[in-house]
Amino acid sequence: MLFDLIFFLKMFRQKREASEVVINAEIMSYYTGLHSFDVLQKMYQKMKGNQYLMKVIQGYQKEKPKSEIYKDVLDKELIYFLKMAEEKHTMVSGVFKDYQEVKERVVKATGKIRGVIVRPLVMYFLASIVVFYSLTNILNQTKGIKGLNVGTLQMFHTWFWPLILLIAFVVVFPLIKFPHVIPILKGAWKELKAFQYLSFVKFMLSMGLSTVDIIDLFRKVLRADIRKQGIEGLIEFFRKYLRPEEIVVLELAGETYEYERVIDSLLEKRRAEFDKKIGMAIGALGEILNFLALIPILLMLYVLFTLMSGASNVVAG
């Protein structure tokens, strides 16, 4: 079991390293004109033992297309982009450059959102440890007092960690799994996805792909339920992510066949506002989640209040 875990972690690390090397090699190929295979060969000599990189080298030697060579190393959507670029005979390294720029920005924003969730969660568990230690001491000191009912305290002490874990799960799981329906995160999630998908559309159009090709890719990769075709399909897809006035602009652009220019303008506008809007959303989320660390303390105060009420009755009796 332990060996399997170690092997899994080793292969996961190798895949991540190989992915970074491949993308950087392709980007360097785009800027310098050097063949990406030459760069990858040199890197493999320095990283011997990386199984994923070895398969990439073998794929090149068998003269396979890049979408086939990189299928075990890169993200699924990037592999689809590569297949389309190959079909359209577009410069493949340019796909890597555009995709990586978008991915880095999205990953950075996603990391900020997760960081805002993790920090209050750590404080919550630290507060829970302190509260549990205090409850244990109080329980040990009050057990010997005659006539004092410590049943509530005993029960709370017994079920403390299951309760704490349940509260953490109920609060955190929806934030991670369903950010698109949580009011405080919904705006940030829409901004993130709008920026990501507009970027994808922009560089797919620059590759010479039609809106029909783009809709087909969104159906395959994103499993999007898009019933219309062409620009009407894109408008249908973006209704979930763009503001009403932006959808109107996109509709007008479709009528005049200027949608490529309009999409580029919408993306530039979002790029300028992206960090600010994400920051505002996660700032509000952080303030709300800071209350999480108070929950164990409030629970302890409630139990102590119940215990003190019982003690008052014993003294009065």
PDB file of all heavy atoms in Angstrom, residues 65-85:
ATOM      1  N   PRO A  65       2.220  12.767 -34.721  1.00  0.00           N
ATOM      2  CA  PRO A  65       1.815  14.172 -34.560  1.00  0.00           C
ATOM      3  C   PRO A  65       1.888  14.580 -33.088  1.00  0.00           C
ATOM      4  O   PRO A  65       1.791  13.728 -32.194  1.00  0.00           O
ATOM      5  CB  PRO A  65       0.364  14.175 -35.066  1.00  0.00           C
ATOM      6  CG  PRO A  65      -0.094  12.770 -34.952  1.00  0.00           C
ATOM      7  CD  PRO A  65       1.116  11.914 -35.188  1.00  0.00           C
ATOM      8  N   LYS A  66       2.054  15.863 -32.839  1.00  0.00           N
ATOM      9  CA  LYS A  66       2.246  16.330 -31.463  1.00  0.00           C
ATOM     10  C   LYS A  66       1.030  16.054 -30.574  1.00  0.00           C
ATOM     11  O   LYS A  66       1.181  15.824 -29.372  1.00  0.00           O
ATOM     12  CB  LYS A  66       2.564  17.824 -31.467  1.00  0.00           C
ATOM     13  CG  LYS A  66       3.951  18.131 -32.012  1.00  0.00           C
ATOM     14  CD  LYS A  66       4.338  19.585 -31.828  1.00  0.00           C
ATOM     15  CE  LYS A  66       5.760  19.831 -32.322  1.00  0.00           C
ATOM     16  NZ  LYS A  66       6.211  21.214 -32.107  1.00  0.00           N
ATOM     17  N   SER A  67      -0.159  16.085 -31.155  1.00  0.00           N
ATOM     18  CA  SER A  67      -1.344  15.786 -30.359  1.00  0.00           C
ATOM     19  C   SER A  67      -1.312  14.357 -29.832  1.00  0.00           C
ATOM     20  O   SER A  67      -1.863  14.062 -28.772  1.00  0.00           O
ATOM     21  CB  SER A  67      -2.613  15.995 -31.194  1.00  0.00           C
ATOM     22  OG  SER A  67      -2.607  15.158 -32.346  1.00  0.00           O
ATOM     23  N   GLU A  68      -0.640  13.475 -30.550  1.00  0.00           N
ATOM     24  CA  GLU A  68      -0.475  12.084 -30.123  1.00  0.00           C
ATOM     25  C   GLU A  68       0.702  11.949 -29.160  1.00  0.00           C
ATOM     26  O   GLU A  68       0.633  11.235 -28.156  1.00  0.00           O
ATOM     27  CB  GLU A  68      -0.260  11.186 -31.347  1.00  0.00           C
ATOM     28  CG  GLU A  68      -0.107   9.705 -31.031  1.00  0.00           C
ATOM     29  CD  GLU A  68      -1.393   9.035 -30.572  1.00  0.00           C
ATOM     30  OE1 GLU A  68      -2.480   9.604 -30.820  1.00  0.00           O
ATOM     31  OE2 GLU A  68      -1.312   7.952 -29.957  1.00  0.00           O
ATOM     32  N   ILE A  69       1.782  12.666 -29.448  1.00  0.00           N
ATOM     33  CA  ILE A  69       2.989  12.590 -28.611  1.00  0.00           C
ATOM     34  C   ILE A  69       2.725  13.089 -27.196  1.00  0.00           C
ATOM     35  O   ILE A  69       3.199  12.501 -26.219  1.00  0.00           O
ATOM     36  CB  ILE A  69       4.124  13.419 -29.258  1.00  0.00           C
ATOM     37  CG1 ILE A  69       4.551  12.793 -30.581  1.00  0.00           C
ATOM     38  CG2 ILE A  69       5.319  13.529 -28.320  1.00  0.00           C
ATOM     39  CD1 ILE A  69       5.520  13.656 -31.373  1.00  0.00           C
ATOM     40  N   TYR A  70       1.951  14.160 -27.085  1.00  0.00           N
ATOM     41  CA  TYR A  70       1.776  14.835 -25.797  1.00  0.00           C
ATOM     42  C   TYR A  70       0.503  14.417 -25.044  1.00  0.00           C
ATOM     43  O   TYR A  70       0.198  14.977 -23.995  1.00  0.00           O
ATOM     44  CB  TYR A  70       1.727  16.350 -26.013  1.00  0.00           C
ATOM     45  CG  TYR A  70       2.990  16.963 -26.558  1.00  0.00           C
ATOM     46  CD1 TYR A  70       2.932  18.108 -27.366  1.00  0.00           C
ATOM     47  CD2 TYR A  70       4.232  16.424 -26.272  1.00  0.00           C
ATOM     48  CE1 TYR A  70       4.095  18.687 -27.861  1.00  0.00           C
ATOM     49  CE2 TYR A  70       5.395  16.998 -26.781  1.00  0.00           C
ATOM     50  CZ  TYR A  70       5.309  18.135 -27.571  1.00  0.00           C
ATOM     51  OH  TYR A  70       6.466  18.702 -28.066  1.00  0.00           O
ATOM     52  N   LYS A  71      -0.237  13.437 -25.552  1.00  0.00           N
ATOM     53  CA  LYS A  71      -1.563  13.148 -24.989  1.00  0.00           C
ATOM     54  C   LYS A  71      -1.517  12.697 -23.524  1.00  0.00           C
ATOM     55  O   LYS A  71      -2.484  12.906 -22.775  1.00  0.00           O
ATOM     56  CB  LYS A  71      -2.277  12.097 -25.828  1.00  0.00           C
ATOM     57  CG  LYS A  71      -1.654  10.705 -25.790  1.00  0.00           C
ATOM     58  CD  LYS A  71      -2.470   9.726 -26.627  1.00  0.00           C
ATOM     59  CE  LYS A  71      -1.868   8.314 -26.541  1.00  0.00           C
ATOM     60  NZ  LYS A  71      -2.654   7.354 -27.337  1.00  0.00           N
ATOM     61  N   ASP A  72      -0.400  12.086 -23.081  1.00  0.00           N
ATOM     62  CA  ASP A  72      -0.294  11.626 -21.691  1.00  0.00           C
ATOM     63  C   ASP A  72       0.317  12.672 -20.765  1.00  0.00           C
ATOM     64  O   ASP A  72       0.460  12.433 -19.565  1.00  0.00           O
ATOM     65  CB  ASP A  72       0.562  10.346 -21.622  1.00  0.00           C
ATOM     66  CG  ASP A  72      -0.094   9.170 -22.330  1.00  0.00           C
ATOM     67  OD1 ASP A  72      -1.340   9.117 -22.339  1.00  0.00           O
ATOM     68  OD2 ASP A  72       0.636   8.318 -22.867  1.00  0.00           O
ATOM     69  N   VAL A  73       0.691  13.823 -21.345  1.00  0.00           N
ATOM     70  CA  VAL A  73       1.428  14.824 -20.577  1.00  0.00           C
ATOM     71  C   VAL A  73       0.634  16.114 -20.368  1.00  0.00           C
ATOM     72  O   VAL A  73       0.693  16.726 -19.297  1.00  0.00           O
ATOM     73  CB  VAL A  73       2.769  15.145 -21.281  1.00  0.00           C
ATOM     74  CG1 VAL A  73       3.515  16.259 -20.559  1.00  0.00           C
ATOM     75  CG2 VAL A  73       3.638  13.897 -21.364  1.00  0.00           C
ATOM     76  N   LEU A  74      -0.135  16.509 -21.378  1.00  0.00           N
ATOM     77  CA  LEU A  74      -0.791  17.813 -21.353  1.00  0.00           C
ATOM     78  C   LEU A  74      -2.287  17.716 -21.048  1.00  0.00           C
ATOM     79  O   LEU A  74      -2.886  16.637 -21.122  1.00  0.00           O
ATOM     80  CB  LEU A  74      -0.589  18.518 -22.702  1.00  0.00           C
ATOM     81  CG  LEU A  74       0.865  18.726 -23.121  1.00  0.00           C
ATOM     82  CD1 LEU A  74       0.923  19.410 -24.472  1.00  0.00           C
ATOM     83  CD2 LEU A  74       1.630  19.528 -22.075  1.00  0.00           C
ATOM     84  N   ASP A  75      -2.888  18.863 -20.714  1.00  0.00           N
ATOM     85  CA  ASP A  75      -4.323  18.933 -20.424  1.00  0.00           C
ATOM     86  C   ASP A  75      -5.141  18.518 -21.640  1.00  0.00           C
ATOM     87  O   ASP A  75      -4.726  18.723 -22.782  1.00  0.00           O
ATOM     88  CB  ASP A  75      -4.709  20.364 -20.026  1.00  0.00           C
ATOM     89  CG  ASP A  75      -4.015  20.810 -18.756  1.00  0.00           C
ATOM     90  OD1 ASP A  75      -3.606  19.928 -17.977  1.00  0.00           O
ATOM     91  OD2 ASP A  75      -3.886  22.023 -18.548  1.00  0.00           O
ATOM     92  N   LYS A  76      -6.310  17.968 -21.349  1.00  0.00           N
ATOM     93  CA  LYS A  76      -7.166  17.453 -22.419  1.00  0.00           C
ATOM     94  C   LYS A  76      -7.556  18.535 -23.407  1.00  0.00           C
ATOM     95  O   LYS A  76      -7.546  18.306 -24.622  1.00  0.00           O
ATOM     96  CB  LYS A  76      -8.431  16.836 -21.803  1.00  0.00           C
ATOM     97  CG  LYS A  76      -9.378  16.222 -22.806  1.00  0.00           C
ATOM     98  CD  LYS A  76     -10.496  15.447 -22.119  1.00  0.00           C
ATOM     99  CE  LYS A  76     -11.393  16.376 -21.316  1.00  0.00           C
ATOM    100  NZ  LYS A  76     -12.558  15.658 -20.746  1.00  0.00           N
ATOM    101  N   GLU A  77      -7.909  19.749 -22.908  1.00  0.00           N
ATOM    102  CA  GLU A  77      -8.328  20.798 -23.830  1.00  0.00           C
ATOM    103  C   GLU A  77      -7.182  21.258 -24.732  1.00  0.00           C
ATOM    104  O   GLU A  77      -7.376  21.586 -25.900  1.00  0.00           O
ATOM    105  CB  GLU A  77      -8.926  21.997 -23.083  1.00  0.00           C
ATOM    106  CG  GLU A  77      -7.996  22.695 -22.124  1.00  0.00           C
ATOM    107  CD  GLU A  77      -8.164  22.224 -20.700  1.00  0.00           C
ATOM    108  OE1 GLU A  77      -8.572  21.066 -20.491  1.00  0.00           O
ATOM    109  OE2 GLU A  77      -7.871  23.008 -19.781  1.00  0.00           O
ATOM    110  N   LEU A  78      -5.944  21.249 -24.205  1.00  0.00           N
ATOM    111  CA  LEU A  78      -4.799  21.637 -25.022  1.00  0.00           C
ATOM    112  C   LEU A  78      -4.549  20.608 -26.127  1.00  0.00           C
ATOM    113  O   LEU A  78      -4.166  20.962 -27.250  1.00  0.00           O
ATOM    114  CB  LEU A  78      -3.560  21.805 -24.146  1.00  0.00           C
ATOM    115  CG  LEU A  78      -2.273  22.269 -24.841  1.00  0.00           C
ATOM    116  CD1 LEU A  78      -2.525  23.501 -25.692  1.00  0.00           C
ATOM    117  CD2 LEU A  78      -1.180  22.536 -23.817  1.00  0.00           C
ATOM    118  N   ILE A  79      -4.765  19.339 -25.825  1.00  0.00           N
ATOM    119  CA  ILE A  79      -4.617  18.292 -26.847  1.00  0.00           C
ATOM    120  C   ILE A  79      -5.631  18.500 -27.965  1.00  0.00           C
ATOM    121  O   ILE A  79      -5.304  18.350 -29.153  1.00  0.00           O
ATOM    122  CB  ILE A  79      -4.786  16.887 -26.220  1.00  0.00           C
ATOM    123  CG1 ILE A  79      -3.653  16.594 -25.243  1.00  0.00           C
ATOM    124  CG2 ILE A  79      -4.843  15.819 -27.310  1.00  0.00           C
ATOM    125  CD1 ILE A  79      -2.276  16.593 -25.865  1.00  0.00           C
ATOM    126  N   TYR A  80      -6.860  18.893 -27.613  1.00  0.00           N
ATOM    127  CA  TYR A  80      -7.869  19.180 -28.641  1.00  0.00           C
ATOM    128  C   TYR A  80      -7.442  20.373 -29.498  1.00  0.00           C
ATOM    129  O   TYR A  80      -7.622  20.375 -30.724  1.00  0.00           O
ATOM    130  CB  TYR A  80      -9.221  19.456 -27.997  1.00  0.00           C
ATOM    131  CG  TYR A  80     -10.050  18.221 -27.766  1.00  0.00           C
ATOM    132  CD1 TYR A  80     -10.184  17.671 -26.499  1.00  0.00           C
ATOM    133  CD2 TYR A  80     -10.716  17.589 -28.822  1.00  0.00           C
ATOM    134  CE1 TYR A  80     -10.951  16.530 -26.287  1.00  0.00           C
ATOM    135  CE2 TYR A  80     -11.471  16.449 -28.620  1.00  0.00           C
ATOM    136  CZ  TYR A  80     -11.588  15.923 -27.353  1.00  0.00           C
ATOM    137  OH  TYR A  80     -12.338  14.800 -27.149  1.00  0.00           O
ATOM    138  N   PHE A  81      -6.889  21.404 -28.859  1.00  0.00           N
ATOM    139  CA  PHE A  81      -6.404  22.566 -29.609  1.00  0.00           C
ATOM    140  C   PHE A  81      -5.304  22.143 -30.591  1.00  0.00           C
ATOM    141  O   PHE A  81      -5.263  22.612 -31.735  1.00  0.00           O
ATOM    142  CB  PHE A  81      -5.853  23.635 -28.661  1.00  0.00           C
ATOM    143  CG  PHE A  81      -6.888  24.257 -27.778  1.00  0.00           C
ATOM    144  CD1 PHE A  81      -6.541  24.774 -26.539  1.00  0.00           C
ATOM    145  CD2 PHE A  81      -8.207  24.334 -28.170  1.00  0.00           C
ATOM    146  CE1 PHE A  81      -7.494  25.350 -25.718  1.00  0.00           C
ATOM    147  CE2 PHE A  81      -9.165  24.904 -27.352  1.00  0.00           C
ATOM    148  CZ  PHE A  81      -8.811  25.415 -26.128  1.00  0.00           C
ATOM    149  N   LEU A  82      -4.415  21.266 -30.118  1.00  0.00           N
ATOM    150  CA  LEU A  82      -3.330  20.802 -30.980  1.00  0.00           C
ATOM    151  C   LEU A  82      -3.872  20.037 -32.187  1.00  0.00           C
ATOM    152  O   LEU A  82      -3.381  20.208 -33.313  1.00  0.00           O
ATOM    153  CB  LEU A  82      -2.383  19.903 -30.185  1.00  0.00           C
ATOM    154  CG  LEU A  82      -1.447  20.589 -29.176  1.00  0.00           C
ATOM    155  CD1 LEU A  82      -0.619  19.548 -28.439  1.00  0.00           C
ATOM    156  CD2 LEU A  82      -0.549  21.583 -29.875  1.00  0.00           C
ATOM    157  N   LYS A  83      -4.856  19.178 -31.949  1.00  0.00           N
ATOM    158  CA  LYS A  83      -5.444  18.413 -33.059  1.00  0.00           C
ATOM    159  C   LYS A  83      -6.020  19.344 -34.116  1.00  0.00           C
ATOM    160  O   LYS A  83      -5.825  19.148 -35.323  1.00  0.00           O
ATOM    161  CB  LYS A  83      -6.538  17.484 -32.527  1.00  0.00           C
ATOM    162  CG  LYS A  83      -6.026  16.254 -31.804  1.00  0.00           C
ATOM    163  CD  LYS A  83      -7.186  15.381 -31.349  1.00  0.00           C
ATOM    164  CE  LYS A  83      -6.671  14.137 -30.642  1.00  0.00           C
ATOM    165  NZ  LYS A  83      -7.792  13.291 -30.150  1.00  0.00           N
ATOM    166  N   MET A  84      -6.734  20.381 -33.649  1.00  0.00           N
ATOM    167  CA  MET A  84      -7.329  21.327 -34.592  1.00  0.00           C
ATOM    168  C   MET A  84      -6.261  22.133 -35.319  1.00  0.00           C
ATOM    169  O   MET A  84      -6.382  22.416 -36.509  1.00  0.00           O
ATOM    170  CB  MET A  84      -8.300  22.245 -33.860  1.00  0.00           C
ATOM    171  CG  MET A  84      -9.568  21.549 -33.404  1.00  0.00           C
ATOM    172  SD  MET A  84     -10.824  22.720 -32.846  1.00  0.00           S
ATOM    173  CE  MET A  84     -12.254  21.638 -32.751  1.00  0.00           C
ATOM    174  N   ALA A  85      -5.211  22.520 -34.575  1.00  0.00           N
ATOM    175  CA  ALA A  85      -4.127  23.276 -35.207  1.00  0.00           C
ATOM    176  C   ALA A  85      -3.447  22.442 -36.292  1.00  0.00           C
ATOM    177  O   ALA A  85      -3.098  22.947 -37.362  1.00  0.00           O
ATOM    178  CB  ALA A  85      -3.104  23.705 -34.152  1.00  0.00           C
TER     179      ALA A  85
END
